[in-house]
Amino acid sequence: MKPKIHAAAGAIALATILTFWLSTVLSEIFGSPATVAAVKTAILYGMALLIPAMATAGATGAAMGRGWKLPQVQVKLRRMKIIATNGILVLLPSAVFLAFRARAGVFDTTFYTVQAIELLAGATNIILLGLNLRDGLALALRRNRRAV
């Protein structure tokens, strides 16, 4: 059951971050300031989905990886530490800041600087989560082969 919960939580986290990232880029390119404000507000509310998904993926992954000495497991754990740090120190505060600024209609240099940092941090997390997904699928295949 733990592998299924881990996979679902990881997939939800990756899809959520990817949705946030794409919504931000598309709203900036094609949307009005009101659209940007709506997207930034939705992203802030979306944290209620993302944070539990990330915590669940991290906790179940750590539990499943306990005792495994494979390099892929250690790499996944290191990536998760970067992803979590990035999320707590950059992405969450950026989401709050940008949502409040956008709702106030303040689209200044500070807003776009923070947004650029947020997009870079989000892209980093998308890449790292994608790599963890790839390695997780390889580990699951290995585990299934051992069970047969």
Side-chain angles (χ1 to χ4, degrees), residues 87-100:
I88 293 167
L89 297 181
V90 179
L91 293 171
L92 183 57
S94 295
V96 172
F97 176 84
L98 293 169
F100 281 102

Side-chain angles (χ1 to χ4, degrees), residues 8-74:
I12 290 168
L14 178 56
T16 302
I17 294 172
L18 189 56
T19 299
F20 290 173
W21 199 91
L22 288 172
S23 298
T24 294
V25 171
L26 293 173
S27 71
E28 282 296 339
I29 294 171
F30 300 111
S32 65
T35 302
V36 172
V39 165
K40 291 300 171 188
T41 300
I43 288 171
L44 188 56
Y45 288 124
M47 291 293 171
L49 173 66
L50 178 59
I51 292 169
M54 290 294 295
T56 301
T60 54
M64 290 187 317
R66 209 171 282 122
W68 285 53
K69 303 294 183 210
L70 295 172
Q72 297 99 319
V73 173
Q74 301 312 311

Side-chain angles (χ1 to χ4, degrees), residues 76 79 126-136:
K76 281 181 59 117
R79 284 188 202 125
I126 290 166
I127 291 166
L128 294 175
L129 284 167
L131 291 170
N132 273 4
L133 173 64
R134 179 201 64 195
D135 290 348

Side-chain angles (χ1 to χ4, degrees), residues 94-109:
S94 295
V96 172
F97 176 84
L98 293 169
F100 281 102
R101 290 290 271 239
R103 283 191 281 195
V106 181
F107 299 100
D108 57 4
T109 304

